[in-house]
Amino acid sequence: MSGALLLLADGRFPAGGHAHSGGAEAAVKAGLVHDADGLAAFLTGRLHTTGLTAAGLAAAAAGGFDPAGLDEAADARTPSPALRATSRRLGRQLLRAARVCWPDPVLDGLAAAYPGGAHQSVVLGLAARAAALAPADAALAAAHESVNGPATACTRLLGLDPYQVVAVLARLAPELDLVAEAATRAAAEAVRRQDAQPLPAASAPLLDLFAERHNAWKVRLFAS
Amino acid sequence: MHRDHPTDEFGTPRVTVLSSGRRRALRIGLGGPVGSGKTATVAALCRALRAELSLAVVTNDIYTTEDAEFLLRHAVLPPERITAVETGCCPHTAIRDDISANLEAVEDLEAAVGPLDLVLLESGGDNLTATFSRGLVDAQIFVIDVAGGDKIPRKGGPGVSGSDLLVINKTDLAPLVGADLAVMARDAKAQRGELPTLFCSLVDPDGVAPIAGWVRERLARWRAH
Amino acid sequence: MAGALTVPAPPAAPAARIVAALDGREDQITVLPVLSGAGPLALRRLRAGQRTGPAEVALVGAMAAPLGGDRIAVSVRVEAGARLRVTSVAATVSLPGPQPGPAWYDVELAVAAGAVLEWLPEPVVAAAGSHLLLTTRITLDAGARLRYREEQILGRRHDWTVHGVPGRLTSRLTVRQAGRLILDQQTDLGPGAPGWDGPAVLAGHRAAGQLLTVGLPCTAPSEECAALLALPGTDAHLLVAVAPDGLALRRLLTGPL
């Protein structure tokens, strides 16, 4: 079923991601990312923190974990109000596209239950499930999304050589697989116990600070 | 939220009826290069039409909410009827390739201040190839100006050749920049065939009247459809 | 990575325990019916049974701990209407043990309706070669109030000058309010934690901390390296900060109060 996975993970899938930098714009403004090496370090940190957490939530959703329980788990794993709002906005946009691609009463129910948007990772997992993908696929798509968006944003923000940027992503690919595997294992345990506790809750102090700082800016290129 | 009509005449899926059963607002996009007068056209249209229609505006700024703030500052509409969408360096993506943020903005406006008759969507200033998706707007206006050079109509591009209305703005500046309006009219005709082109100068007191007239006519067709 | 907290821990150690409750005879006076140290943790009563102010207890490290392989636990319960403040007399320094491997430090805090807990210990410092797995579970009944501070310092000056690296701190903080999960957060800082020193996580800062406030006043910081986050629960705020060192971190966490 990798065809549906490629579609869901494609940066051109119309789910609103193109307008978000995942904290990269704030990191660039703070002078912490200015070249491909800095981007690689930023993406490594993001992948193993919020990327891992999103992958776990997505895999659990794809594995049939109660979406309301996952919504609470995602809220608790997102202390920054700016990031919670961003996640729900992107979740709503992703759900719009997913419902057209893979019509499913579960997706309709999610839209009705969360008119302001469910968390992006939860929607991603349920979209994967609607597309008959496995939890491991959902985890991989979430991990990919966690680094692909900021990488694209840095290409635009810094004018980085696009070949260097894709090379950074290519070098990260084995770590992406490891993160997705860890998330999938944790999600299987969460589904088995019907308890969100085993799901990763990894966070990064600066990503929370960046999100709040960026949210207060008047002039910015990206929505987050 | 919406009930979908299967497709339009081009085979594009269309959403034209709200869940309430009411026909949704007509959506008109305004695109065009930076500085051609898109925001001024939106402001003038709001002033001309706000007494007779329920209106809202979505702006797509490139890196600020400046256009939305211009409209707010000039009080062309109450603030709750104006929404800014952020576009992540790619204004054309937000109006063409991934329209989700704009669709959400339009639907949120309709839910918050509806029912609406007309929503104007202003794109961020972009190049001549940027056009709106038909999944987002029902009709689009492309705004260029004579100061940008009288060669623009001849250069063509999707905006100039395919928009439902081409507006050539700032005709008052033509003598100052040496632009030949007759040449622009001829080139536009060659590019656009039967599609309409309007010359206007928004500094004139009623300069927007021809565009407002075109909008009224589109709205009448939309309602009759 | 996620695996860090799934390393099998040694059998649960007996926990140092504090129970704070209102004196049944005289209203509004908090007494300490249970106050028992365990393992390397001794408890000192600084203040209790008085008409004004909270009861106060200090955590005292009675021997060098935690060392790799140790398992330390503290459990605190503040019963309805009682007020308790817990501090510590010194920073907790996490040191490597005789065998390689992490140490465990488990903290359980439970606060009942109308009760107040202030948990304000000195920082945890990760010495080179150490790995501490810190797990904190906070359970708040509806109407419970809390001020909870945690400060994590990566390495002493000595660790940086001699070893060039600090130790590692893996910390998970879980907070429930009236049965609802309002915060579930893990940080993994120090050598072995991917990306920990990079621009998404610490970017050269050596201290990270937070002040969680529930039902008590809090102030938004003005500095760029701190932010006040409104959590999903009721009147719950998390002040998060990163700093070059422990002193600067303390200023960020206490400055505006």
Side-chain angles (χ1 to χ4, degrees):
Chain A
M1 300 304 283
S2 56
L5 174 60
L6 292 175
L7 182 61
L8 188 59
D10 190 337
R12 287 167 301 181
F13 194 70
H18 72 94
H20 295 262
S21 80
E25 186 174 18
V28 166
K29 181 86 173 286
L32 297 173
V33 175
H34 42 77
D35 56 15
D37 290 343
L39 174 63
F42 180 85
L43 296 180
T44 301
R46 194 168 199 274
L47 171 65
H48 287 276
T49 56
T50 54
L52 172 65
T53 302
L57 290 162
F65 197 101
D66 162 45
L70 286 180
D71 194 76
E72 181 181 295
D75 250 2
R77 284 161 171 75
T78 319
S80 153
L83 285 181
R84 286 200 298 278
T86 295
S87 171
R88 289 190 183 281
R89 199 178 311 139
L90 285 171
R92 197 166 83 152
Q93 288 173 251
L94 174 58
L95 186 56
R96 176 189 292 276
R99 287 172 76 190
V100 179
C101 293
W102 302 287
D104 184 323
V106 173
L107 298 182
D108 298 342
L110 193 70
Y114 299 94
H119 281 286
Q120 185 190 21
S121 50
V122 179
V123 177
L124 181 59
L126 289 174
R129 190 174 171 85
L133 293 170
D137 299 323
L140 195 56
H144 172 73
E145 199 273 341
S146 80
V147 293
N148 198 46
T152 307
C154 282
T155 307
R156 299 186 203 161
L157 287 166
L158 292 166
L160 292 181
D161 176 347
Y163 299 105
Q164 283 192 31
V165 172
V166 289
V168 165
L169 289 172
R171 283 193 293 271
L172 264 181
E175 286 188 54
L176 225 76
D177 292 339
L178 291 176
V179 164
E181 281 166 25
T184 305
R185 277 196 306 276
E189 177 68 5
V191 170
R192 192 182 65 73
R193 284 165 47 182
Q194 282 304 297
D195 179 0
Q197 195 278 334
L199 295 178
S203 70
L206 279 178
L207 288 180
D208 287 338
L209 291 173
F210 287 155
E212 294 295 314
R213 203 185 289 174
H214 187 272
N215 191 43
W217 291 355
K218 263 191 109 47
V219 176
R220 59 191 185 202
L221 288 161
F222 288 85
S224 80
Chain B
M1 192 177 277
H2 286 120
R3 183 148 49 86
D4 289 19
H5 281 187
T7 58
D8 69 0
E9 66 272 34
F10 305 103
T12 314
R14 298 304 294 266
V15 179
T16 54
V17 181
L18 298 173
S19 54
S20 60
R22 226 184 61 83
R23 194 167 177 77
R24 65 157 174 78
L26 176 70
R27 299 171 186 164
I28 293 183
L30 289 98
V34 176
S36 63
K38 293 182 298 299
T39 307
T41 305
V42 169
L45 279 173
C46 288
R47 288 194 197 96
L49 297 170
R50 66 191 173 193
E52 58 193 275
L53 299 174
S54 177
L55 292 174
V57 172
V58 177
T59 64
N60 282 256
D61 280 298
I62 305 177
Y63 55 85
T64 65
T65 50
E66 197 168 305
D67 288 345
E69 276 162 24
F70 175 90
L71 297 172
L72 289 170
R73 209 163 48 241
H74 290 79
V76 298
L77 287 179
E80 66 274 15
R81 288 175 177 265
I82 301 172
T83 296
V85 167
E86 286 152 314
T87 58
C89 299
C90 275
H92 56 268
T93 303
I95 61 166
R96 187 183 58 202
D97 309 273
D98 181 350
I99 58 177
S100 54
N102 271 295
L103 284 173
E104 308 256 295
V106 171
E107 289 172 8
D108 285 349
L109 281 168
E110 194 119 30
V113 300
L116 295 170
D117 300 308
L118 174 66
V119 180
L120 299 174
L121 294 104
E122 181 191 344
S123 81
D126 209 320
N127 58 44
L128 296 173
T129 67
T131 52
F132 286 84
S133 160
R134 282 197 302 267
L136 179 60
V137 300
D138 304 299
Q140 51 194 309
I141 301 173
F142 201 71
V143 182
I144 60 174
D145 71 330
V146 300
D150 58 11
K151 291 188 199 68
I152 289 184
R154 194 176 74 231
K155 287 180 180 166
V160 165
S161 58
S163 59
D164 299 288
L165 175 65
L166 179 67
V167 169
I168 300 177
N169 190 20
K170 306 186 190 175
T171 51
D172 51 304
L173 297 182
L176 301 174
V177 298
D180 187 334
L181 296 181
V183 167
M184 293 182 90
R186 190 194 64 212
D187 291 344
K189 175 77 184 160
Q191 290 284 350
R192 295 174 55 75
E194 295 307 307
L195 290 168
T197 300
L198 292 173
F199 284 85
C200 75
S201 165
L202 291 176
V203 294
D204 293 349
D206 206 17
V208 80
I211 309 173
W214 181 86
V215 169
R216 283 193 196 92
E217 185 257 328
R218 290 300 299 218
L219 190 60
R221 274 165 55 190
W222 170 253
R223 285 169 166 163
H225 182 62
Chain C
M1 274 207 35
L5 281 188
T6 58
V7 178
R17 291 179 60 221
I18 308 171
V19 176
L22 285 182
D23 184 331
R25 294 155 302 175
E26 269 199 87
D27 214 14
Q28 304 314 312
I29 292 181
T30 298
V31 293
L32 300 170
V34 176
L35 186 69
S36 59
L41 271 183
L43 301 174
R44 292 285 174 270
R45 178 193 318 251
L46 300 182
R47 194 174 187 283
Q50 295 180 27
R51 197 166 289 280
T52 56
E56 288 188 36
V57 173
L59 302 167
V60 181
M63 54 185 96
L67 300 176
D70 284 352
R71 181 155 190 183
I72 301 173
V74 187
S75 157
V76 176
R77 196 171 84 238
V78 188
E79 297 190 338
R83 288 182 292 167
L84 174 66
R85 176 181 300 152
V86 180
T87 58
S88 65
V89 297
T92 301
V93 182
S94 166
L95 296 163
Q99 270 97 44
W104 286 261
Y105 196 148
D106 300 327
V107 178
E108 284 282 348
L109 308 176
V111 189
V116 185
L117 172 63
E118 293 175 274
W119 177 265
L120 304 168
E122 294 303 304
V124 175
V125 182
S130 73
H131 185 189
L132 182 64
L133 300 175
L134 186 59
T135 306
T136 306
R137 283 190 210 88
I138 302 178
T139 308
L140 305 171
D141 289 351
R145 289 180 288 169
L146 175 75
R147 191 183 322 279
Y148 166 92
R149 182 179 69 207
E150 65 177 31
E151 295 165 317
Q152 303 183 350
I153 315 292
L154 290 167
R156 302 159 296 181
R157 174 177 293 277
H158 168 81
D159 295 306
W160 289 100
T161 50
V162 175
H163 304 280
V165 288
R168 180 171 175 185
L169 280 171
T170 308
S171 170
R172 184 154 183 179
L173 170 62
T174 309
V175 184
R176 284 183 184 279
Q177 183 186 48
R180 177 186 179 190
L181 188 66
I182 62 168
L183 180 63
D184 195 348
Q185 176 205 57
Q186 182 180 312
T187 51
D188 193 2
L189 308 174
W196 72 276
D197 205 18
V201 185
L202 280 187
H205 294 95
R206 296 293 170 239
Q210 41 196 13
L211 183 69
L212 169 63
T213 310
V214 180
L216 293 170
C218 56
T219 314
S222 51
E223 291 83 355
E224 275 231 310
C225 45
L228 185 67
L229 313 175
L231 296 182
T234 305
D235 199 11
H237 293 89
L238 189 69
L239 175 61
V240 295
V242 294
D245 57 47
L247 271 177
L249 178 66
R250 178 64 62 86
R251 270 199 299 277
L252 288 170
L253 294 181
T254 57
L257 294 173

